[in-house]
């Protein structure tokens, strides 16, 4: 099992809670291990901190492990001591009951004294202290990027015969770099039976932290909810435990995600992981931050599909990749479903296990249909719809409304883009046209749909309606924006006595269709709605 480990600096760093309180909080949240970052600690402090960890109890009564790290400046830490002085502190920590020592590969390679001392602390080819209680972790960090000699570095870690666990960490500048870290697990497993932790730092590397359990890492770092981590990209403990279920993962766990840029704010991981948990599906759904350019999307999708041991089952696709997803599907021979074809964009890619080539869908259409169905639009007096916006969401809305026999007029800030949308969806006709924003006359329409981001958090005091245009009773107003739940537009609509449709209903509708495609199971609707509402702070 992957031990969830909270790094805590002793002495406490500026602006953080005092370290004893942090240990208590980590135990209360179910941490398995504390990494005592004793970079600037003296012997007394190390002894006191180890005692504090040993005295702490998790909510289930289990004790915590204490790992001691004294990281030198040349490896990204704060310690100015030489290797001999650090060796004396490590020996002291062992005497005080430390369960694990993390010692840098470079220190072991460069210091004969440290190697000599280590030979007394840990048995060769065993990885434990003579009394079997303490163990050695040998680690290598690179804060500049993917080490050019990554396989060789792994080989050097493997050569430390006293080590029980090995740890490689480097800075990821992209998801592709993170995949390099994950691929190291398979390479290591072919060469060495000892557990490996392979992590990528930074936003690009977050997936290595979220999937550490799946790859059999012996431990994994997490921060306390109110603390800054000791490395960028470290997730918060309850999220790692709860949302991503790191300790429930195993080699068979199927991985899904949401591809976008930026994607850190997405509530899709909360929705899909809650749903996976509710139906006992062995899957994990993660954010996949991929830079906007198509060539980056192409390279990253290919790398995700090829990554040994990842079991990448597919992904949701959001801004700015919906066009890229369709292009990718066409270039890679995936089956493109009619909806995605008609809209000219996709929000779902599926990669079933071979030999099927994969599938490209647009479940936004399903989301729009189910949202409209809830509001009984057939009751609307005027069967004409005004759609604000001409981007990806507007394309899906226009396509769906046309299929439902609505007459649609597109109003967009940039009039030419509105006209382009109309051309792309079959051209100007009785059923479809575009007009300048200032020509919007509310009385001509029964349904008004906002497909612009106007009114979305944090700009919650904005409305997409042109000045002077007022909503009337009998209107049905659909805002695709779901954060906040009730936008200014919907508040205005309700105040005018109009019926409203919330963007969250569309989001949940499209997510439920994705869930069916990912798992082949019926979506647990209530669980998904509750997870979405919680993630949105409702
Ligand atoms: P997009 O492709 O970037 O298109 C955005 C559209 O909004 C463009 O037509 C743009 O006009 C217009 N726009 C942007 N800022 C504006 C402003 N300040 N004033 C007037 N018009 C403005 O984005 P998208 O993918 O269509 O997404 C649009 C919104 O739909 C998102 O923000 C999201 O809230 C919502 N959405 C919701 C769901 C859901 O499941 N509920 C799913 C997808 C999208 P120009 O052409 O003039 O730039």
């Amino acid at each position: 099992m992957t031990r969830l480990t909270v790094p805590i600096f002793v002495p406490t760093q500026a602006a953080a809670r005092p370290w004893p309180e942090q240990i208590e909080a980590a135990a209360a949240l179910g941490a398995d291990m504390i990494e005592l970052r004793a970079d600037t600690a003296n012997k007394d402090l190390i002894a006191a901190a180890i005692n504090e960890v040993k005295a702490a109890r998790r909510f289930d009564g289990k004790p915590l492990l204490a790992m001691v790290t004294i990281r030198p400046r040349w490896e990204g830490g704060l310690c100015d001591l030489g290797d001999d002085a650090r060796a004396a502190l490590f020996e002291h920590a062992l005497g005080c009951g430390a369960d694990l020592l993390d010692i840098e590969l470079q220190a072991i390679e460069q210091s004969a004294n440290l190697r000599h001392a280590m030979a007394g602390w840990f048995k060769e080819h065993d990885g434990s202290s003579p009394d079997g209680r303490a163990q050695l972790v040998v680690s290598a960090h690179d804060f500049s990027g993917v080490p050019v000699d990554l396989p060789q570095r792994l080989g050097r870690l493997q050569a430390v015969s006293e080590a029980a666990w090995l740890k490689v960490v480097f800075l990821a500048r992209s998801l592709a770099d993170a995949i390099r870290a994950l691929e190291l697990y398979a390479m290591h497993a072919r060469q060495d039976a000892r557990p490996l932790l392979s992590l990528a730092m930074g936003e690009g590397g977050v997936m290595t932290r979220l999937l550490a359990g799946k790859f059999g890492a012996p431990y994994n770092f997490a921060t306390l909810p109110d603390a800054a981590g000791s490395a960028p990209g470290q997730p918060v403990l309850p999220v790692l435990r709860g949302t991503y279920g790191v300790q429930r993962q195993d080699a068979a766990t199927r991985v899904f995600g949401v591809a976008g840029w930026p994607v850190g704010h997405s509530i899709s991981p909360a929705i899909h992981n809650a749903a996976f948990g509710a139906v006992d599906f062995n899957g994990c759904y993660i954010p996949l931050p991929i830079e906007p350019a198509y060539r980056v999307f192409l390279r990253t999708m290919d790398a995700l599909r090829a990554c040994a041991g990842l079991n990448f089952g597919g992904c949701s696709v959001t801004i700015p990749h919906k066009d890229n997803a369709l292009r990718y599907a066409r270039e890679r021979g995936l089956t493109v479903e009619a909806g995605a074809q008609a809209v000219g964009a996709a929000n779902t890619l599926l990669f079933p296990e071979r030999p099927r080539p994969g599938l490209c869908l647009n479940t936004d259409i399903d989301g729009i249909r189910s949202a409209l169905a809830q509001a009984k639009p057939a009751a609307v007096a005027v069967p004409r719809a005004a759609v604000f916006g001409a981007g990806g969401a507007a394309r899906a809305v226009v396509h769906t409304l046309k299929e439902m026999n609505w007459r649609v007029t597109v109003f967009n800030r940039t009039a030419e883009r509105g006209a382009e949308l109309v051309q792309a969806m079959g051209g100007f006709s009785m059923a479809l046209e575009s007009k300048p924003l200032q020509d919007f006359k509310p009385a001509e329409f029964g349904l008004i749909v906002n497909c612009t981001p106007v009114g979305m958090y944090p700009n919650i005091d904005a409305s997409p309606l042109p000045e002077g245009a007022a909503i009337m009773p009998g209107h049905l107003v659909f805002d695709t924006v779901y954060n906040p739940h009730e936008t200014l537009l919907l508040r205005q609509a309700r105040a005018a006595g109009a019926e409203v449709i919330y963007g969250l209903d569309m989001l949940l509708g499209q997510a439920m269709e994705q869930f069916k495609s990912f798992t082949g199971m019926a979506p647990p609707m209530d669980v998904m709605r509750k997870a979405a509402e919680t993630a949105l702070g409702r």
Side-chain angles (χ1 to χ4, degrees), residues 319 322 364 389-394 412-414 417 451-454 456 480-482 503 506-507 510:
I319 296 171
K322 289 187 179 181
D364 281 341
N412 192 48
R413 178 178 62 181
T414 311
R417 215 173 153 209
C451 297
T452 77
V454 179
M456 188 166 79
T480 64
V481 171
Y482 58 84
M506 172 182 167
L507 182 81
Q510 63 81 29

Side-chain angles (χ1 to χ4, degrees), residues 306-331:
C307 179
L310 184 63
N311 294 349
F312 184 55
C315 57
S316 314
V317 181
T318 186
I319 296 171
H321 288 303
K322 289 187 179 181
D323 294 356
N324 288 342
L326 181 61
R327 182 172 166 193
Y328 178 84
R330 287 175 174 153
E331 288 183 13

